[in-house]
């Protein structure tokens, strides 16, 4: 299980590198949602390894609420950009 956790931590680098290459704010925000999803999954495995329910609860809250809020902001900024043009 620790190998899987190490692989998940390494996989956090891929969207981070992609966010540096992105030109628009929408693409960067989508990369950050991918980072937050992967970090929450890492937290779930970490909580299971430590047998700590509070860390798992935080990871579930991040999975449920964090990504939806960020995706809402992406759609909102896209709508505002289309209105301005």
């Amino acid at each position: 299980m620790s190998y899987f956790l190490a692989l998940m931590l390494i996989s956090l680098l891929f969207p981070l590198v992609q966010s540096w290459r992105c030109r628009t704010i929408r693409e960067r925000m989508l990369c950050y949602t991918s980072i937050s999803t992967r970090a929450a999954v890492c937290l779930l495995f970490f909580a299971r390894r430590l047998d700590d329910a509070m860390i798992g609860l935080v990871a579930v809250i991040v999975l449920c609420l964090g990504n939806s809020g960020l995706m809402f902001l992406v759609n909102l900024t896209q709508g505002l950009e289309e209105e301005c043009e």
Side-chain angles (χ1 to χ4, degrees):
M1 186 180 244
S2 61
Y3 292 118
F4 185 71
L5 188 60
L7 287 174
M8 284 298 291
L9 289 175
I10 291 171
S11 74
L12 281 171
L13 296 175
F14 296 124
L16 188 64
V17 170
Q18 182 63 30
S19 71
W20 289 332
R21 293 180 180 177
C22 295
R23 294 175 189 251
T24 64
I25 190 70
R26 281 192 313 254
E27 292 174 354
R28 285 187 183 171
M29 290 174 78
L30 291 173
C31 289
Y32 295 146
T33 58
S34 176
I35 290 171
S36 70
T37 301
R38 291 174 192 216
V41 171
C42 287
L43 274 177
L44 282 174
F45 279 102
F46 188 68
R48 177 68 180 136
R49 185 171 172 93
L50 292 180
D51 198 26
D52 189 0
M54 291 304 289
I55 295 175
L57 179 66
V58 168
V60 168
I61 289 173
V62 167
L63 278 173
C64 294
L65 300 176
N67 289 336
S68 63
L70 203 52
M71 292 301 294
F72 177 72
L73 284 175
V74 167
N75 289 329
L76 187 67
T77 57
Q78 181 179 6
L80 288 175
E81 285 179 357
E82 290 174 358
E83 253 183 43
C84 291
E85 292 176 354

